Amino acid sequence: MSGLCGFLQLGRNQPAPLRAASMLLDGDGGLAATGSSVSIHQQAGLLTAICGSATLDGSGERLAERLATAWRARGKQVCAELAGHFALCVVDGASETVLLAIDRSGVHAMHYQSDARQLLFSTSAASLPAGELDPQALYDYLYFHMIPSPRSVYRHRQRLGPGEFLLYSHGRAERGAYWQMRFREERALPFAVMKQQFQQALRSAVSSAAQGTDKVGAFLSGGTDSSTLAGLLEKPARTYSIGFDVEGYDEMVYARIAARHFQTDHHEYYLTADDVADSIPRIAAAADQPFGNASVVPAFFCAQIAAADGVTRLLGGDGGDELFGGNERYARQAVFSRYERLPSAARQLVLEPLLFGLAGKLEIALLNKARSYVQQALAPMPARLESYNLLSRYGPAQMLEADFLHVVDMDAPLAQLNHCYWQPDRLSQINRMQALDLHYTLADNDLRKVNLACELAGVEPAFPFLSDEMLAFSARLPPDDKLRGTRLRYFFKQALREHLPAAILRKKKHGFGMPFGAWLLSDARLRALAYDSLADLKSRRIVRAGFIDQLLQTHVHEHPAYHGTMVWVLMMLEQWLHHHATPARVAAPINVAETLDDLVPKG
């Protein structure tokens, strides 16, 4: 896979002795790059590199060279001039400055660590020296099931978020956003015009994503996004699906409907519990940091069968839900928001006293349902989105060791969500949720999942829905076209009625969900791996041993799907720590000479 890494070291008369022959050097800075999609350029006092599918002024030719010219002329403003999916770096030894940036959606990653004397950076965390684990990052992982940017699993290391840059100059770091989604909520154009623009942008995005290889395929879950992409690829498109021989989880019937409708060269694989047990150590070892999204396993096997079929690039439908209103929680939160629109007198003087006062002790199904609705509706956004958060439901004090909790901020995860949710000013609820999902659901979760799965399988992922043109179109789509009452994807489905099969337009979202909870109870090998992992986790003094025992002996048997999620999250944490964690040490200045061999990207 393509990647880049480098360093800038200040205050030395001579550059550090280097043992990495592939690294370009200029003064006290160095830069290494690998992969076919990397452009790199060196001139007096300046190193530039960019990986991915970017263009500058509409062209991808001699990209790093033209990036160097633009940097000399306009500095960090060059980030906003780039289009496409990319990670870039400019190492300007003459001015003791480094510029780092990633694309608007966060398809690519950038990790960095710095102090007043030096900066290290890489698109892969594995290329940077390991450090001291950050307890707050581990707490965030247990809350989110991943670690959101800008935090990293290691202290003193950070990651850029979507549309962000880092300017490191003379030992000082400035981090900022060169791009943010700018929503326009008023309707500016009639439906017919918007439909035409949307279809043109979508076709262009798919064509661009498939360009450069004749060995392209697509994930096909049978949902609207993956089916749309499969139908727009040049025929016969190669499509790949994962099934589960467990009731309530398999949606292969919809993938087959799409494959027949679009006459694709379709490939299927039914995942087993043995497959999952085999893949867990590999996935944990390959992950940059703890990652608890179980859907990475079916995504990995899907990418594997595509790679075995000769596919080198695999298109994913990620981003469609977040851009066009496809997540079920959008409709659910719209229902809760209706309560806020009731007159306050009716709510506070009639409904709430009735439900929680006089009738509060009556165990009647309809009253219980009404009480639950009002309780959730009373919670402010975005905290209401976390009503079923596992860590909150169990209670941090009941789940985690007191010494661990003493060194973390339990309010930090919700504070992050609040900051992101309320940052766009005067927006509708659907667009605020979209802004939140573009960061937490997409950039930090789904894209990391697909990138990790594809990297392990040896194929390149591509995400047509996240083209710059599609982002811009979504930003000007009125809220009512994303969510019409409780009807999800209203505009999207209307615009593609002639393209998609009716059964897929009507189906509810499912995706590559995995029946881990069911397999945990039925498969001895997978259960042994999970239980052994959680037994080892007890010794790390993060999760209380008593909670682990209760989770495995009681909770998971009561509701395998719900509590099995936490078993998976804790198992993947222990598996990652087993493969990556070194004895804790106090963070110290990095010796470039000692660690440079580790800086070169691994494949």
Side-chain angles (χ1 to χ4, degrees), residues 26 36 50 55 57 60 66 101 189-190 226 237 242 316 328 342 348 352-353 411 418 465 511-512 514 525 558-559 593:
D26 205 310
S36 59
I50 185 165
T55 60
D57 297 328
R66 292 189 296 117
L189 296 170
S226 63
I242 295 295
E328 290 287 346
L342 290 175
Q348 297 171 11
E352 291 164 23
D411 296 326
N418 269 301
F465 283 112
F512 286 121
M514 190 175 71
R525 182 181 171 217
E558 294 172 344
H559 197 318

Side-chain angles (χ1 to χ4, degrees), residues 276-291:
V276 178
D278 287 338
S279 66
I280 284 170
R282 290 187 63 189
I283 289 170
D288 280 337
Q289 51 192 12
F291 188 70

Side-chain angles (χ1 to χ4, degrees), residues 209-210 213-218 233 236-238 240 310-315:
T213 179
D214 58 353
K215 299 177 180 179
V216 63
L233 279 173
R238 288 181 275 196
Y240 303 88
V311 166
T312 58
R313 185 177 302 154
L314 200 53
L315 273 56

